[in-house]
Amino acid sequence: MSSSTPDFSKPSPRALLQFYRGQFAAALGFNLAYRGMVALWVLGSVMQPLVLIVVWQTVSEGRDTGMTAGQYAAYFMVSMVVSHMTFIWHMWEFEWRIRSGYFSPLLLRPVHPIHHDICENLSYKFVGLVGIIPAAVLMALIFGADFSGASWRSLIAFAPALLLAMALRFVIEWCLALAAFWMTKVASLNQLFDAFFLFLGGQFAPLGVMPEWIQTLSFALPFRWSIYFPIQVALGNITGADLWIGYGMQPSDRSGRGRVATDVEARGLPTTAVERSHACLHR
Amino acid sequence: MPSPLKIAPTFASAYRTGPIPRRFFLGVVNAAVQFATQMLAITIVFNQTESLGGWSREDLIVLVGVHAIVSGILGMIFSPSISSFLESIRLGTFDFLLTKPVDAQLLASVQSVAPQSTVDGGGSGHYWLWSGTAGAGFGLVVLMFILLLLAGLCMVYSFMLVLASMAFWFVKLDNIMNIFNVMFGNAGTWPITIFPAWLRGMLTFIIPIAFAVTIPAQALTGALTVGNVALTFALAAVFLTASRFFWRFAIRQYTGASA
Amino acid sequence: MPSTPIISVENLGKTYTVPEREAGVKAAVVSLFNRKTRDVQAVRDVSFDIHPGEIVGFLGPNGAGKTTTMKMLSGLLHPTAGNASVLGFTPWERDRAYLGQMTLIMGQRNQLQWDIPVIDSYQLFKAIFRISDADYKQRLDELIEWLELQSLINKPARNLSLGERMKCEIAGSLLHQPRVLYLDEPTIGLDISMQRKIREFVAEYNARTGAAVMLTSHYMADVEALCERVIVIHHGTLLYDGDLHGLVSRFSPFKTIAIEFSEPMVANGQLADANDRYGEIVSANDTGWEVRVPKSETAAVASRLLADLPVADLTISEPPIEEVIEQVFATGVET
């Protein structure tokens, strides 16, 4: 056998790129192999916006809530797309990984485990789009979505807003999922988080129809910036200076937490990895 | 290689493990978050309107309370049992169940219990207080409510059983219960009457949410019609019989887990 | 051994803190506020050195601390006491250069991606471990040949049998040519011939690359075939470190004497007396006996047997290692 020892002390973009390509392909393979399951999952993500369109269109019948029926349809349709694209399930997953010992192989590699998770997450989103996009189109047609505010400019502005939202939500929830190394029931935290997205993020209703206190609070928290902001950008409701303020809010909310991620990892996240599951065995 | 698809069922089964008191504690936390979420949702909607398709704020709280009872019962017995059943098909341990001298359908339907879910059902007491209807009417109304609720549960159970029986053909079906929960959790908390006709049909006959939640709730809010009552009991019988037949047909497809 | 050790472990210890609570609802409520915990010492004060090229069997019953030790050495767990140095690194600092030179193979876990062809997983390992194209090709070819993987690598891992998957798993774990191998039950659940194949392969890899191997296995055949040296731990404590045969002579106080009679002999009344006179008669029929005797009396009993009986053949043997180990674990012999 031959040998040439690679130098792991220097980051190698080439190797990382290769890794991403391979891992992404693997994750894609998985999601395609289980496309039936992806389809069911997508069906699940269609349900909430679908129900909410009905609810809010009913509310707006013969009453002025500040938005028309068509605008509600458009809002929840885009909300579905944004929610799908920003979805991350690692609070559940980490709990499972630690319990089942699945973390060990990931921690044995000389690559940070977040890269693996990014690939998995992205591939799920892309495969899911195959279902989400037709569902969105159908939803828009059936419920008469009104996109009069949207334009090619708002669509262009939407792209960075969505990407930043994806990164923001991924980093925050991935870091919170790390709590699984200390706590056993992170999934409960996840439930609370879902509720925050529902109200502070604007998944339940456009923030404009929410009570004042929710609107005010939402400015200071990341949920608005990962769901509501991109939706409104896409619909052409946020332009000019507000747009740039929003772009600014997205990464600033993230960077602080991003630092936590790398710190925690460097200081000892993986070292505690199997301990919990192991401690259970020794009980 | 996990993804949400794979995790969810494992997570669900993990949720059932662990010391029972801690599960109760978490159950209480979950129920509290759930309660707060739904009350907030109702508040937001009724800030904009006085009536949602003919349902008042109080009516809607009753509906959500009924939904909590139904999910509590489903989550306590049927969901965990059906999940275990699906898992046993995948792992091949269903063999053990078949060899027991008890009706396999019964055993598969009640094999595991998640006691923490009683919190969801029991916690629904809050809703009655909030709705202001507590103590408004007892006697026949309550009896009718309970009967309708049972009929509705029979229908949902039948539906779950049919879904689960598909596992005899498609082994990888672990997630189907999660999807059911998502549907039931989202659509079930709103009155069926507000949905457009095509969706209403689906939510009534395909996924019998209307019968499990809306109609029993109507018994309490006084919006019930005789026709609906008769239809509910008749359909409950039809659903139960049909699902029983389907189960017996499906079980013939069982080949054991060869892999 | 003159060379410097590749793995050096000093007073390594690992204590888990586990929550403890009495049964019942009341205790549960109390425990929410006032958590009682108990310390479990999974590994205590374990020291040893392993040199390049050695294959060391790491023995102990379930729960002895083997896996915990291996996980500490592979950088998955932090110890609560002691030091270790492997290839000059402290494992739990998780230096990538260290992770890139070792491998941990667990018989009950897999690293291959379940749903994609094995070869695609290998490609991924190539990127993860930054293996050059030339090295990758050469090593892969070698591994395919040694382990006869040609027909397997284009299938998804889930379509492989347990043994086939293990072979692929091992090949994948060795693509980066680790210098230290931790093998945790690599042959578990495999049939005898597959076990043998894996064993031969590990020996060959060790011979060709000079890698150090630490192996745990419940199959003594693995240990006997591969390991000259064994380390035995029990209840987290090191019981024995040394020659495999030394283990037997050290811990087994008995030897077995087997005799064959020159003519068929019907043992009627004799057998009862025989237990007193010779030792424990393990088996007896009219063609021969097997007697278990305390080690110190072996010679005396042998000569008595030769004198008393029509013996055609007599052999003295150590009891099987498996039996000795079992005895060590059962009685927990103190060193």
Side-chain angles (χ1 to χ4, degrees), chain B residues 166-202:
Chain B
M166 308 268 189
F168 290 114
W169 288 276
F170 314 102
V171 174
K172 283 232 35 111
L173 210 71
D174 348 18
N175 278 79
I176 203 145
M177 280 304 120
N178 290 64
I179 300 311
F180 176 82
N181 289 339
V182 170
M183 298 228 172
F184 190 73
N186 275 304
T189 50
W190 302 101
I192 196 79
T193 48
I194 66 169
F195 288 94
W198 60 276
L199 210 52
R200 199 160 55 223
M202 253 178 64

Side-chain angles (χ1 to χ4, degrees), chain A residues 1-2 4 10 107 271 278, chain C residues 16 78 94 135 142 177:
Chain A
M1 278 198 164
S2 65
S4 59
K10 277 183 292 194
L107 292 174
T271 57
H278 219 85
Chain C
Y16 294 111
H78 253 270
R94 299 177 48 72
D135 282 353
E142 280 174 355
Q177 212 171 65

